[in-house]
Amino acid sequence: MPNSTTNPPIEIPARPNNLRTWQPIAATSGTDSACTNGTAYVGTINVPGNVTITGLEYLIGSVGGTDKVIVSLHDEGGAVLANSATAGTTVGTAANTQQVAFTAPYTVKGPAKLFVALTFNGTTAKFRTIPAFCHGGVLGNSVTQTFGTVAAFTAPTTFTADKVPVVNLY
């Protein structure tokens, strides 16, 4: 069995391609989920090696451009590692991906299991989530989170359909 003394950590290229909660095949893949103010939608991402992350890219649902979103990165226990501006970023165009940068890049020492989170300030915009029977080992759910603050949460230990956002690291 390899160990860290004989095998150095994997170094991931500058752009961490294919590190995501779920692989959609189209802009309409997954569930078109309405956001709820006061809720963070969280899910796991497994990072196989060391990488610097600039932010999160998520898949917008059938309605965009109305509410604001905050993205955050958390460790396996739910503690905050990085987040975007707490004033939020206006949700982009429907059926597109939107990159939201952290306030500063964050370097992950992999391998690591992390949680990503999206928090919205309204109830109009929609985002794509992982449907039932498609999670492939992803853990996640919704947790209470006040918009404008980014706080630690108790990390989910199961998967709840239609709560985990479709997110990439970038």
Side-chain angles (χ1 to χ4, degrees), residues 11-27:
E11 293 295 329
I12 296 174
R15 180 160 170 28
N17 295 321
N18 298 317
L19 296 178
R20 56 182 47 124
T21 55
W22 184 60
Q23 176 64 58
I25 57 170

Side-chain angles (χ1 to χ4, degrees), residues 69-159:
V69 64
I70 297 170
V71 303
S72 54
L73 185 70
H74 301 258
D75 69 14
E76 192 169 4
V80 179
L81 301 173
N83 58 271
S84 63
T86 56
T89 300
T90 301
V91 174
T93 305
N96 281 278
T97 58
Q98 180 176 15
Q99 291 185 341
V100 181
F102 297 142
T103 56
Y106 181 79
T107 301
V108 176
K109 301 290 185 204
K113 179 169 75 172
L114 304 174
F115 279 90
V116 294
L118 303 180
T119 307
F120 300 89
N121 74 337
T123 59
T124 305
K126 294 191 174 187
F127 62 107
R128 304 306 290 192
T129 56
I130 303 173
F133 311 111
C134 295
H135 62 89
V138 170
L139 304 176
N141 200 346
S142 59
V143 298
T144 301
Q145 188 82 248
T146 301
F147 189 85
T149 62
V150 179
F153 53 77
T154 301
T157 58
T158 60
F159 170 80

